[in-house]
Structures are given as C-alpha cells and as structure tokens.
C-alpha cells in the first residue's frame, strides 16, 4: 500500500517540479514528510478503532503498531513517500483495507489519506511561502 | 429537495448489472449462502461495498453541505486467481470513467483509486480467489 503525492497534479502549483527553486524543495519535502507521518498515525488509529472479535484484536494491535513511513524521495517530477506495514501481520492490511468475500473493506489507509488532504495542501502552501522568503 | 445519497450507489449498481455478463452475479454488502444447502456461494460472483460519503461544504461561507465523496469497492471472486482477474478486468472496463446521472446530483466520472492484489480465501470450500478495485465518486447537489 502506498500513497504518492504528485506535485504536477496539484492545480495550486501550475508548474513542473523541476521549475521550483532549489531552496524551496527541502520545504516541500518536509511538508510531504509531515503528511506521511500524519497519515501513518491516522491509519494506525483507524485500525485500532475497527470493531473486531476478541480473537483478532491482538493481531490488529500488532498490525497497527507495524505502520511505518518512508522518508520522502525526489524522483523526477514527484516527491514520493510510502506508508507501509511490516512484520508478521502485514498481510492482514490488504484484507482490512480492501475487504474479502466475507468482510467488507474498512479503508483505514484510504481514510487516513483523505483526512490529511487539506492539511497536505496547506502544508505545501506554507512550504512554498517559506521557500520564497 | 435533493435525491438521497443511496440513489448514487443504486445508480452504480444498476450500471454494473446493466451488462448481461454481470446481472446475476452482483451482490451488495454481503454474499448470501446457497438457499438449498446453506453452503458458500460458488464463484464467480461480484461483491460491491460502499459508504455514503461525508457531507462537505465546499465554501467556508456556505451554510449547507454541497458535496459528497462516495467510496465504492468492487470485488471480483473467482475459482482461481486467473478467473478473479478476468472478472476484475471486465468490471474495470465497465466502470472506468462512468458518469452517473442522478436527479438532484451532478456527478463526476468514477475515479479508479486503488486495486488490491489477488488473494485466496481458504476458509471457503472449495477455496476462492478474489481481488478488489476501489472507486471514488464525487457528487454535488444541484
């Protein structure tokens, strides 16, 4: 599971990432990292809040604690980061996120991403403002 | 008075069922067992899940909610991984860029926002394989 934020896709910027001043880039990377951190934490909380039978609570707890995010990297026109799950219960995330024939999707990661969209946009605005000072 | 948000989901379900290939295979929310034996339904079949989306105000000054973003998950279940993928592929072709027309709403085209790897469900006898695709639908009240 990964979220990548495509700088080109943001209407507010109206420019390719290569055209952004070099001194602004670290601020943008920081803004992306902040969002990745928040998405990771929200995904963890969302998983912990899923109502489950007692037998699966322990597994979900381990899964929630296995949430990690990658430090953002600049790859051509995008800044890429990932929110992932590691450890023995990592396989569970697919079932919880997308559901199975016997249980519906819970979308903990999707919801976490959606919940942070506004803050992400605001973070990018601030990063650009900080970068041109 | 705007039509209900359920009408948005209903429209998408009808669109899927409108393709004869899918008509008898689509279930919403859960999958019924076989009536005669109470055994799990044999694959292939399709399960659709959705929420009703959060109500949002698009302008700070607005006093009413004007928009909703509905999440829809479409799961293709097959006897093996290949069959699950075949059905998922057909479903994607059916749904991609589909733009619902619903009274009281102005809808965007469906956006394909996620896809899950094929997994097996061994609790079922015989076991089945499944994969799912997530779509977002943005609808504004007219």
């Amino acid at each position: 599971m990964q979220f990548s934020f495509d700088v080109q896709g943001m209407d507010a910027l109206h420019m390719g990432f290569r055209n952004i001043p070099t001194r602004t880039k670290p601020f943008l990377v920081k803004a992306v990292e902040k969002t990745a951190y928040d998405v990771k934490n929200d995904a963890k909380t969302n998983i912990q809040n899923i109502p489950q039978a007692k037998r699966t609570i322990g597994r979900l707890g381990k899964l929630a604690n296995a949430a990690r995010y990658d430090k953002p990297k600049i790859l051509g026109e995008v800044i890429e980061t990932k929110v992932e799950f590691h450890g023995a219960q990592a396989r569970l995330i697919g079932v919880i996120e997308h559901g199975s024939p016997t249980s519906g999707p819970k979308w903990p990661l999707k919801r976490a991403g959606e919940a942070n969209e506004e803050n992400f946009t605001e973070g990018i605005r601030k990063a650009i403002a900080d970068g041109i000072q | 008075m705007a039509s209900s948000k359920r009408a948005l989901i209903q429209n998408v379900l009808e669109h899927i069922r409108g393709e004869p290939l899918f008509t008898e295979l689509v279930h919403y929310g859960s999958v019924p067992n076989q009536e005669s034996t109470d055994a799990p339904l044999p694959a292939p079949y399709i399960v659709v899940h959705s929420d009703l989306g959060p109500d949002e105000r698009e302008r700070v000054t607005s006093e009413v909610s004007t928009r909703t973003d509905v999440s829809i998950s479409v799961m293709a279940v097959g006897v093996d991984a290949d069959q699950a993928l075949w059905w998922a592929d057909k479903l994607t072709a059916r749904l991609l860029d589909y733009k619902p027309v619903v009274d009281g709403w102005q809808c965007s085209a469906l956006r394909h926002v996620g896809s899950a790897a094929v997994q097996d469900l061994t609790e079922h006898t015989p076991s089945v394989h499944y994969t799912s695709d997530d779509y977002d639908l943005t609808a504004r009240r007219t």
Side-chain angles (χ1 to χ4, degrees):
Chain A
M1 181 59 57
Q2 70 176 53
F3 286 94
S4 56
F5 299 104
D6 186 347
V7 173
Q8 274 190 314
M10 293 192 60
D11 294 340
L13 289 177
H14 293 296
M15 63 173 112
F17 190 65
R18 282 189 194 124
N19 297 325
I20 293 172
T22 308
R23 66 182 177 184
T24 306
K25 291 181 182 178
F27 292 98
L28 289 172
V29 171
K30 205 74 195 161
V32 171
E33 181 167 2
K34 169 77 170 73
T35 302
Y37 176 80
D38 290 343
V39 168
K40 184 264 290 180
N41 282 345
D42 286 356
K44 182 176 169 175
T45 307
N46 291 346
I47 290 169
Q48 286 166 338
N49 288 340
I50 294 171
Q52 286 290 320
K54 269 188 184 166
R55 64 188 169 84
T56 52
I57 285 176
R59 293 174 71 194
L60 282 185
K62 284 180 188 163
L63 175 68
N65 288 328
R68 304 276 185 274
Y69 76 93
D70 283 356
K71 290 268 181 196
K73 285 175 285 195
I74 298 173
L75 298 170
E77 291 286 292
V78 299
I79 303 172
E80 191 177 284
T81 181
K82 285 181 191 171
V83 175
E84 293 178 309
F85 291 81
H86 296 268
Q89 306 299 337
R91 194 171 177 265
L92 258 184
I93 188 62
V95 177
I96 292 167
E97 182 72 17
H98 298 286
S100 78
T102 54
S103 69
K106 307 292 187 296
W107 291 311
L109 268 171
K110 185 168 183 281
R111 295 281 181 254
E114 288 167 356
N116 283 283
E117 273 177 20
E118 250 178 62
N119 284 346
F120 173 65
T121 309
E122 188 53 33
I124 292 293
R125 277 203 190 99
K126 279 185 183 162
I128 291 169
D130 289 345
I132 57 177
Q133 272 177 7
Chain B
M1 183 73 180
S3 100
S4 76
K5 292 202 280 183
R6 279 184 61 234
L8 298 167
I9 312 294
Q10 206 56 43
N11 181 286
V12 174
L13 279 170
E14 280 166 17
H15 179 68
I16 299 173
R17 289 183 177 130
E19 162 59 56
L21 199 58
F22 304 135
T23 308
E24 301 296 324
L25 301 180
V26 180
H27 302 274
Y28 179 76
S30 61
V31 187
N33 282 352
Q34 294 181 71
E35 272 182 32
S36 50
T37 61
D38 207 34
L41 199 66
Y45 56 88
I46 294 156
V47 198
V48 179
H49 292 94
S50 74
D51 61 10
L52 285 175
D55 289 301
E56 294 171 18
R57 296 175 188 182
E58 288 193 274
R59 292 180 183 181
V60 181
T61 52
S62 175
E63 291 186 352
V64 292
S65 300
T66 51
R67 163 187 162 157
T68 188
D69 290 292
V70 178
S71 299
I72 300 166
S73 159
V74 183
M75 184 178 296
V77 184
V79 293
D80 56 27
D82 196 43
Q83 191 186 56
L85 279 178
W86 189 88
W87 282 101
D89 198 25
K90 295 280 178 201
L91 281 162
T92 304
R94 179 74 177 155
L95 286 173
L96 199 61
D97 299 328
Y98 169 63
K99 194 170 180 177
V101 177
V102 179
D103 277 350
W105 296 96
Q106 186 183 23
C107 300
S108 68
L110 289 181
R111 295 185 306 283
H112 191 201
V113 294
S115 190
V118 180
Q119 300 204 50
D120 58 340
L121 184 72
T122 48
E123 300 148 33
H124 268 215
T125 310
S127 71
V128 292
H129 285 71
Y130 63 96
T131 179
S132 68
D133 290 275
D134 292 338
Y135 297 85
D136 277 355
L137 167 64
T138 299
R140 292 181 171 83
R141 295 184 190 278
T142 55

